[in-house]
Amino acid sequence: MQRGGAGERGGGEARAFVTLDELMRLRHRARGFSFLPRQPVQSLLSGRHASRLRGRGLNFEELRHYFAGDDTRTIDWLATARLGAPHVRVYSEERDRPVLLLVDQRSSMFFGSRRAMKSVVAAEAAALAAWRVTSLGDRVGAVVFGDRERMSIGPQARESGAVRVIAEVARQNRTLGAGIAPPDADGRLNEALRRAERMATHDWLVCLVTDAAGADEETTRLVTRLTAHNDVLAIHIHDPLELDLPDVGRAVFSSGGAQVEVDSSSPGLRRRYADERAAWGERLTGLSRRRAIPILRISTEREVATQLRELIGKRMERRASSAGGGRDG
């Protein structure tokens, strides 16, 4: 069955495009969630996945004499034996941690049956992540990829870093639906991962925002190599219609300029479709389990910021009860 196109079940049409101004305004919604390992107990990133997310690292500053009151756990016993007097190793926390967003804007994302297209939801998720990362003092960069082009943006801090990423996402979003996707469009996912591997050298957080269309064994190999020296977090964008094909009779689905007509009233077709989607979901879950990669499943039918807070953020009532208490994140 072809991916793409958009129809609405329940009135109105899914929002097809997003503007730069709309993504800029999401700055005020980027609160109540964090990608750092210290998470509330109900967070999807707590427990096993939290141990994989390293958070900020430590930089070695100096080796100096031990003074009364120093933490004995910082004593360098090899240096102490070599120099004949107690010495400690002094570290400082890294000032920031680069975050690399891989943002999918291919034709497979130009689909939506509810609130917005998957491409719009991916753009919103990327914008929220960029605003949140830079608000906490970290740098953000991106690989934004579509059917025909890929743009790489080096990590940069503060508002300017977020704006560079968001502007490129908005630009590529506007090009969707302009024509038939090339036959090699699925392969753009692996090309983006290869580019990410060259950019993310060590202890980065790589956040993949995609519907994972075209994922194959090479995708698994590339993700595995990325996880060797970095953390990988997947934000999987999906639409309810992809999980359960409704009986609406004959319907036309499109991907860019290509279209296909199917008879959704066929029980066999709906059963095969459900089986294929279930098997695909199991493969994705298996990758997450084997590589300890958190997968945040974001639906097109609800506001993205709310879903992020529910999956990885603090409950709003808890935040309200502790308002004014320290850095949020």
Side-chain angles (χ1 to χ4, degrees), residues 5 8 22 45 65 98 102 114 123 128 160 162 181 207 216 235 244 251 277 279 303 315 320 323:
E8 173 68 41
E22 289 169 333
L45 299 187
H65 284 287
L102 273 67
R114 303 294 177 91
L128 287 163
S160 57
C207 183
D216 54 18
I235 297 181
D244 183 20
R277 296 306 300 181
E303 184 191 39
R315 297 296 187 189

Side-chain angles (χ1 to χ4, degrees), residues 10-21:
E13 291 188 354
R15 188 155 53 101
F17 301 100
V18 67
T19 67
L20 177 58
D21 285 344

Side-chain angles (χ1 to χ4, degrees), residues 30-321:
R31 297 179 59 83
F33 62 90
S34 171
F35 300 131
L36 297 179
R38 184 175 298 171
Q39 299 288 342
V41 293
Q42 79 277 4
S43 170
L44 185 145
L45 299 187
S46 64
R48 177 173 63 90
H49 284 315
S51 64
R52 280 287 295 123
L53 295 177
R54 301 176 177 87
R56 291 180 177 82
L58 297 175
N59 286 324
F60 173 70
E61 291 289 331
E62 63 174 336
L63 185 69
R64 63 164 173 78
H65 284 287
Y66 172 84
F67 296 103
D70 283 340
D71 189 340
T72 56
R73 291 174 297 182
T74 64
I75 294 177
D76 186 324
W77 295 107
L78 290 177
T80 295
R82 185 174 68 253
L83 299 172
H87 280 72
V88 296
R89 296 177 69 86
V90 179
Y91 294 87
S92 64
E93 188 179 47
E94 289 179 347
R95 289 180 300 171
D96 64 19
R97 184 188 192 200
V99 175
L100 184 66
L101 304 174
L102 273 67
V103 188
D104 192 344
Q105 292 291 296
R106 294 174 297 167
S107 291
S108 68
M109 302 288 289
F110 198 58
F111 178 94
S113 66
R114 303 294 177 91
R115 184 186 70 89
M117 298 285 205
K118 291 189 293 182
S119 51
V120 170
V121 172
E124 292 173 337
L128 287 163
W131 286 126
R132 189 61 179 145
V133 165
T134 53
S135 74
L136 296 178
D138 293 326
R139 292 176 293 148
V140 66
V143 178
V144 186
F145 60 102
D147 291 332
R148 294 177 173 82
E149 64 176 321
R150 182 191 71 238
M151 178 64 69
S152 302
I153 303 168
Q156 189 172 327
R158 301 184 180 86
E159 179 179 349
S160 57
V163 171
R164 289 177 67 212
V165 169
I166 291 168
E168 179 58 27
V169 172
R171 185 188 71 80
Q172 291 203 31
N173 179 264
R174 290 195 301 271
T175 68
L176 282 166
I180 298 176
D184 60 347
D186 281 351
R188 303 302 185 198
L189 173 61
N190 288 342
E191 289 181 6
L193 286 168
R194 293 186 190 98
R195 180 56 183 161
E197 188 180 20
R198 292 192 293 271
M199 293 177 68
T201 52
H202 198 280
D203 281 345
W204 290 40
L205 174 60
V206 179
C207 183
L208 180 57
V209 188
T210 180
D211 65 353
D216 54 18
E217 292 183 0
E218 176 65 9
T219 309
T220 301
R221 285 192 290 269
L222 291 166
V223 170
T224 299
R225 291 208 297 261
L226 273 170
T227 60
H229 301 291
N230 305 280
D231 293 323
V232 177
L233 172 69
I235 297 181
H236 176 236
I237 311 297
H238 68 89
D239 185 89
L241 192 62
E242 296 177 312
L243 306 178
D244 183 20
L245 183 65
D247 182 357
V248 294
R250 304 195 70 83
V252 176
F253 293 82
S254 65
S255 177
Q259 293 185 340
V260 62
E261 183 177 358
V262 299
D263 183 4
S264 64
S265 64
S266 167
L269 173 65
R270 294 201 308 276
R271 185 171 55 252
R272 289 194 302 274
Y273 180 82
D275 289 345
E276 289 177 3
R277 296 306 300 181
W280 187 91
E282 284 298 317
R283 290 195 297 273
L284 194 64
T285 301
L287 174 63
S288 171
R289 186 182 303 115
R290 290 192 304 274
R291 304 303 173 195
I293 299 171
I295 295 180
L296 310 181
R297 300 181 187 274
I298 300 294
S299 172
T300 60
E301 65 180 334
R302 298 175 58 216
E303 184 191 39
V304 179
T306 299
Q307 294 184 73
L308 285 175
R309 279 193 292 268
E310 290 175 351
L311 289 169
I312 63 174
K314 301 176 181 179
R315 297 296 187 189
M316 294 304 292
E317 58 268 24
R318 292 190 179 188
R319 290 186 60 228
S321 66

